[in-house]
Amino acid sequence: IANLLQFYLLTVSRTVGEEALLSQTLKDITDAAYQVFFDTIDAQGRSLLRFLHPPDSDLSPPLALRDSSQVLREIMAVYDSSLLGDEDPTEREAAFAQILEAAVDPAMEMCKRMSELKDGMSSWDKAIFLVNCTTYMQNMLQTYSFTSAHVTLLQKDVDRHVRTLVTEHSAYFLKESGLEPIVQAMDSKPVDTPLSRLPSASSQALTAALTQFDSFLSTLDPSSSPRLALLSVPRLASSIHIDALHHIGRVYGRICDQVRKPENKYEFAGTLLGSRRPFGDMRVLWQILGVDVEDGQY
């Protein structure tokens, strides 16, 4: 209704002038209609934050988000249909910005609060849930060009949660691969102490770690991970998995470099590394991991 009144206001103002009584009356009615509209949007936003519940087990976007997004989709369609096509893109986007803030921000706040309601919910599950919610809203907004600024803001949130997932997925790989104790020893050893003299990085401990790493490579799926199955965007799941594979590859390369250094006093360093896959060969490792060779990692 407000949009229709705005159309009549513009038409009448161009015909009889903005100072005409009819134009002034239409302006007052239009302003009142828009006030009712924004009050309704604000009320919907408050209602989203009033009845919260923990995320579902599949970490999918909640029904409340999907319902509110449908309402916003209808509003965007009406707004888009009212455009003449000759508007400046910046002005077109600015005119709709207040509606987006009133509709999107409470919905995203609702998802954030929901992620904090479930006792014992891991940071991993929280990040997946928030990525699913944010990308759902993002995909819906991308239908129209006048939402681009808000889509960009949402992308920053997605990127932050994805970084959390990459960090945790990499840490999971490091632990499962058996290389974690060696890395901890490298990071904590005194400068004047050979790495091989530390119990957790002795030749025996290194052999055990490399044996576990060999087994890890045998069971690893380079294309995907079950841990990422609940992510609703396959492209992001693949990207996170690949980043974690690159990380574990760099870790192995770093261990090889340290084992080969004479000052770390590993006897028969080549034999130690060559006894288990990938035999101290970075090219072999990148092939097993199924990722591109990184610069300098040969």
Side-chain angles (χ1 to χ4, degrees), residues 167-202:
T167 299
E168 294 206 13
H169 201 39
S170 299
Y172 172 80
F173 276 173
L174 186 61
K175 182 176 181 180
E176 292 297 305
S177 68
L179 300 182
E180 186 177 41
I182 310 300
V183 173
Q184 291 174 343
M186 290 191 303
D187 291 340
S188 63
K189 84 174 188 69
V191 177
D192 57 349
T193 301
L195 185 61
S196 63
R197 299 298 184 262
L198 299 180
S200 58
S202 64

Side-chain angles (χ1 to χ4, degrees), residues 216-227:
F216 168 78
L217 294 177
S218 298
T219 58
L220 177 69
D221 183 350
S223 62
S224 63
S225 170
R227 303 180 73 235

Side-chain angles (χ1 to χ4, degrees), residues 22-254:
L22 181 57
S23 297
Q24 291 296 320
T25 301
L26 278 172
K27 182 179 184 305
D28 292 342
I29 297 174
T30 301
D31 290 344
Y34 272 115
Q35 185 60 54
V36 171
F37 169 74
F38 281 111
D39 287 346
T40 302
I41 294 294
D42 289 340
Q44 178 182 324
R46 290 192 298 272
S47 70
L48 289 176
L49 300 175
R50 192 174 298 124
F51 305 106
L52 301 174
H53 60 84
D56 293 334
S57 58
D58 63 358
L59 305 179
S60 60
L63 179 60
L65 176 63
R66 300 198 298 273
D67 287 345
S68 64
S69 297
Q70 179 59 36
V71 173
L72 180 56
R73 183 183 288 109
E74 294 170 0
I75 294 172
M76 290 192 300
V78 171
Y79 178 73
D80 185 61
S81 66
S82 71
L83 298 173
L84 300 176
D86 58 353
E87 299 89 352
D88 179 78
T90 302
E91 294 179 356
R92 186 168 60 234
E93 193 160 324
F96 200 72
Q98 185 179 354
I99 296 175
L100 285 179
E101 290 175 5
V104 175
D105 294 356
M108 292 296 95
E109 179 64 22
M110 174 195 68
C111 296
K112 179 182 176 183
R113 294 188 188 183
M114 287 178 63
S115 72
E116 297 168 351
L117 287 178
K118 189 173 183 178
D119 292 336
M121 188 174 186
S122 65
S123 57
W124 174 267
D125 284 346
K126 286 181 181 179
I128 288 182
F129 174 67
L130 291 173
V131 167
N132 288 344
C133 293
T134 308
T135 53
Y136 180 88
M137 179 65 75
Q138 206 177 27
N139 291 337
M140 191 269 298
L141 294 179
Q142 284 174 336
T143 307
Y144 299 99
S145 60
F146 50 80
T147 65
S148 60
H150 227 84
V151 169
T152 300
L153 288 175
L154 291 176
Q155 185 59 45
K156 292 180 181 179
D157 292 335
V158 172
D159 291 343
R160 185 175 70 255
H161 299 314
V162 165
R163 284 194 296 270
T164 296
L165 293 173
V166 169
T167 299
E168 294 206 13
H169 201 39
S170 299
Y172 172 80
F173 276 173
L174 186 61
K175 182 176 181 180
E176 292 297 305
S177 68
L179 300 182
E180 186 177 41
I182 310 300
V183 173
Q184 291 174 343
M186 290 191 303
D187 291 340
S188 63
K189 84 174 188 69
V191 177
D192 57 349
T193 301
L195 185 61
S196 63
R197 299 298 184 262
L198 299 180
S200 58
S202 64
S203 294
Q204 183 176 0
L206 178 63
T207 299
L210 293 176
T211 299
Q212 184 173 338
F213 187 55
D214 189 351
S215 299
F216 168 78
L217 294 177
S218 298
T219 58
L220 177 69
D221 183 350
S223 62
S224 63
S225 170
R227 303 180 73 235
L228 293 163
L230 295 182
L231 264 180
S232 59
V233 182
R235 171 182 54 82
L236 289 179
S238 176
S239 174
I240 292 165
H241 192 56
I242 289 172
D243 284 351
L245 292 174
H246 275 290
H247 178 265
I248 199 67
R250 290 192 296 271
V251 166
Y252 180 79
R254 183 181 166 210

